Amino acid sequence: MPESQASFAAVGADPAALGGDADTERARALLAMRRLWHADESACVALLAPAAELSAAQRARIEVRARDLIEQLQRLPERHLAEILTHQLALDSPAGLALLSLAEALLRVPDAATADRLIRDKLAGVDWRAAGLGGPMAAALQLGSALVGPRLPSGARPAPLRRLPAPLLRWGARQAMRLIGGRFVFAETIEAALARARSTPGDADHGQPSRYSFDMLGEAALTAADAERYLRAYEHAIQAVGEAYRGLGPVSAASVSVKLSALHPRYEYAQRERVARELTPRLCELAALARRYDIALTIDAEECDRLELSLELLESLLAEPSLADWRGLGLAVQAYQKRAPALIDYLAQRARARSRRLMVRLVKGAYWDAEIKLAQLLGLSGYPVYTRKVHTDVAYLACARRLLAARDSLEPQFATHNAFTVAEILELATGEVEFQRLHGMGDALYRALSSRIGAAGVPRIYAPVGPRTTLLPYLMRRLLENGAASSFVHRASRPGAVSAYAAPVAAAARNANAPHPRIPLPRD
Ligand code: FAD
């Protein structure tokens, strides 16, 4: 067993029972991962610290580069609505809750009478300007609230507006919701998405067209019919993207990102055998199509307890002889999971064993609140994720080094909107690396970066595609992660709020790598 795996395996308290053939390299790599699932947080961070350590000269260069990016992005005249929205509006304020409730339901309400009652119920009495919102969305919402809000001071309700008919009010509220949706959803159909991608100039300064990864909006399928619909949508998307980007190869062409939970109604570990039987052929079908067009297909990272299922499916794809010459298979890895470094070792080992190359998108992880809540509900011995943001930052840096060291078999892709993280990766990487951002986020950061380092600073854009009525789960994740005070996007949207660069290892050491004191172990 390689030394790194041996030491990671030592962290776990209980040696998990191994399924499958315990003698194989794959089984050993899986075991190393399993032992980290709920491992002691301080021990995990201590183990990662050497790999995330930076010299004084590196820290100084990161500080200078990140500071420059932050100053530039804060000077850009039009910061993105998504960034402004998520920092200005506290989600647990009456305005934030009203907005989320409306966003959840309004676009799905089919009839006018129910929509009117919903709007009245949610908007009455909310003063959007007092909640800190500005711009066209606030104007639309303020209009709605002024019309229906008996609790607003009468001065806030201009008399002429009070006489406006319900259809106009409905229109105003729907427009506001569409405005939010439009900022996060790239297009409603893949055809519209491709047309939009074609007409978007990309990075005008460096003549570099933007690269995309299209994602079919929607979350876990609840029924077999849902799963079938998503399968057809992904199939159609791969065909359309493949036709549009023929001949460019998986690194340069647009790609498609897939959520496995959308392809099966019981995508859960307890249904492992059924999932393997029913989902493997569907995924192989999609992969064969992507291979035929030579574009990349990336498996998104979802909740922690789905990870091993996705690895089993990945293994089936790696074992499929007809896909052997395809270099476009990819997986997202969440650094906030304690298993992340062992997962990277596992992926490198599988790629080498199968003489294949895998694309790996390194993210921090978007389901933090849900993971904490679930572990507490189950009374587990530990959390699968870190409880301090800085520990995730340590892990991201250590995982980035691991990924870069495995470039013989893994193609690293760094997905982040954090200027410090971008500067760290630029410091660690030699040669060109791919950055990724979400549509509607991080625009200013990457515009600033491309003005500094040219075409190499142009990221791939992860572009959700689908009807806005299916936006909510995705929107919630974006609002939760960016509404958090620790989020970089949240801090960067307020001039002066971003403090000096604190190298993650040193910042974690200030608290002796201890878990968050206000997040007791789940069993407690
Ligand atoms: P930062 O502000 O530096 O980091 C915020 C992140 O820190 C949070 O999202 C969380 O992961 C972590 N964090 C916050 N608080 C704590 C805490 N108390 N303890 C421990 N960790 C904490 N996410 C997925 O899960 N799966 C995907 O497939 C996926 N694909 C993505 C694709 C792209 C192109 C991008 C840009 C992001 C993707 N994400 C995905 C989202 C990603 O995981 C992050 O949520 C998001 O990018 C924010 O991280 P950051 O580096 O930009 O910002």
Side-chain angles (χ1 to χ4, degrees):
M1 189 186 298
E3 200 183 66
S4 60
Q5 281 180 21
S7 50
F8 273 107
V11 173
D14 50 339
L18 252 188
D21 179 359
D23 293 333
T24 62
E25 278 291 310
R26 174 169 182 244
R28 274 202 286 275
L30 265 182
L31 180 58
M33 244 178 55
R34 283 185 191 167
R35 281 178 165 150
L36 289 170
W37 195 339
H38 301 124
D40 178 75
E41 181 159 346
S42 308
C44 285
V45 179
L47 212 53
L48 287 174
E53 199 59 84
L54 298 161
S55 69
Q58 285 178 313
R59 292 197 300 271
R61 284 194 294 270
I62 291 168
E63 164 72 30
V64 169
R65 176 168 259 154
R67 184 64 44 202
D68 172 47
L69 288 176
I70 293 164
E71 278 166 15
Q72 272 202 75
L73 76 89
Q74 289 183 333
R75 267 204 305 270
L76 287 171
E78 204 190 320
R79 285 206 315 279
H80 214 283
L81 174 77
E83 291 162 22
I84 295 168
L85 175 68
T86 48
H87 121 251
Q88 284 188 348
L89 194 63
L91 290 179
D92 55 356
S93 69
L97 289 174
L99 191 66
L100 287 179
S101 312
L102 259 192
E104 179 194 10
L106 185 62
L107 297 183
R108 289 189 281 142
V109 173
D111 67 294
T114 314
D116 291 347
R117 289 169 66 193
L118 178 75
I119 294 167
R120 257 170 237 289
D121 184 43
K122 297 301 171 198
L123 292 193
V126 178
D127 186 348
W128 299 94
R129 292 195 195 284
L133 265 191
M137 193 178 71
L141 289 168
Q142 191 71 22
L143 169 67
S145 302
L147 288 164
V148 299
R151 279 172 279 148
L152 266 190
S154 56
R157 282 185 284 146
L161 294 187
R162 254 176 288 148
R163 288 197 298 274
L164 285 180
L168 187 58
L169 163 61
R170 209 181 308 130
W171 177 85
R174 281 189 201 270
Q175 281 307 103
M177 293 308 113
R178 288 212 167 86
L179 198 60
I180 301 177
R183 296 299 170 143
F184 289 100
V185 180
F186 190 68
E188 300 218 19
T189 64
I190 190 70
E191 286 73 19
L194 289 168
R196 183 170 177 185
R198 264 195 303 274
S199 65
T200 306
D203 180 28
D205 295 343
H206 303 96
Q208 186 80 356
S210 293
R211 287 179 187 168
Y212 290 90
S213 186
F214 296 106
D215 164 59
M216 297 299 103
L217 205 58
E219 301 291 313
L222 296 178
T223 65
D226 284 347
E228 182 64 25
R229 196 162 33 79
Y230 281 125
L231 177 66
R232 298 299 152 222
Y234 278 119
E235 221 172 55
H236 178 61
I238 294 171
Q239 263 162 349
V241 172
E243 293 287 349
Y245 290 85
R246 217 177 247 283
L248 290 180
V251 174
S252 301
S255 61
V256 172
S257 293
V258 59
K259 277 197 177 43
L260 295 183
S261 65
L263 294 177
H264 198 282
R266 300 297 302 275
Y267 184 60
E268 52 204 69
Y269 200 77
Q271 298 287 325
R272 188 177 160 210
E273 280 161 21
R274 182 178 158 197
V275 168
R277 202 172 51 245
E278 296 175 355
L279 186 47
T280 308
R282 286 179 210 168
L283 191 58
C284 281
E285 198 186 307
L286 294 182
L289 204 55
R291 179 199 159 269
R292 168 141 47 99
Y293 289 107
D294 202 18
I295 63 169
L297 184 70
T298 301
I299 299 174
D300 280 353
E302 302 184 66
E303 292 87 348
C304 292
D305 57 9
R306 302 194 202 257
L307 173 63
E308 285 210 18
L309 270 182
S310 58
L311 295 184
E312 285 179 19
L313 290 156
L314 185 84
E315 188 63 23
S316 307
L317 296 182
L318 288 174
E320 175 55 47
S322 65
L323 300 173
D325 58 349
W326 176 49
R327 292 162 71 95
L329 181 57
L331 184 83
V333 170
Q334 297 159 321
Y336 68 9
Q337 279 204 50
K338 293 169 181 169
R339 289 175 293 179
L343 171 58
I344 293 173
D345 291 346
Y346 171 90
L347 294 174
Q349 194 260 324
R350 294 321 297 149
R352 286 175 197 137
R354 300 277 188 190
S355 306
R356 298 279 294 274
R357 198 169 168 73
L358 286 171
M359 296 179 150
V360 178
R361 176 204 301 152
L362 186 62
V363 301
K364 287 180 191 164
Y367 302 80
W368 187 83
D369 304 72
E371 297 296 353
I372 296 288
K373 180 85 181 176
L374 182 65
Q376 291 175 346
L377 282 172
L378 296 175
L380 299 177
S381 59
Y383 293 103
V385 297
Y386 297 106
T387 57
R388 281 189 198 267
K389 159 85 165 74
V390 67
H391 293 171
T392 297
D393 291 335
V394 170
Y396 195 93
L397 201 48
C399 289
R401 272 215 169 104
R402 242 178 171 78
L403 260 182
L404 290 165
R407 275 178 121 170
D408 62 308
S409 51
L410 306 180
E411 182 75 45
Q413 300 167 324
F414 297 99
T416 177
H417 305 131
N418 184 325
F420 291 120
T421 309
V422 167
E424 286 168 348
I425 301 300
L426 289 172
E427 181 61 36
L428 297 184
T430 48
E432 209 169 290
V433 287
E434 177 169 306
F435 285 101
Q436 299 190 346
R437 72 170 176 86
L438 298 174
H439 164 67
M441 313 240 355
D443 321 32
L445 168 65
Y446 283 100
R447 236 182 302 154
L449 184 64
S450 77
S451 79
R452 284 294 186 259
I453 63 171
V458 180
R460 185 183 296 273
I461 301 168
Y462 182 102
V465 177
R468 287 178 192 148
T469 47
T470 54
L471 170 70
L472 185 77
Y474 179 80
L475 178 68
M476 281 301 292
R477 280 206 300 282
R478 299 289 81 84
L479 291 177
L480 280 174
E481 88 195 11
N482 298 302
S486 62
S487 140
F488 176 82
V489 168
H490 183 95
R491 286 181 294 135
S493 55
R494 281 171 301 166
V498 182
S499 43
Y501 174 62
V505 171
R510 257 177 247 135
N511 293 306
N513 299 337
H516 199 290
R518 290 179 59 200
I519 308 180
L521 282 177
R523 62 170 178 233
D524 299 330

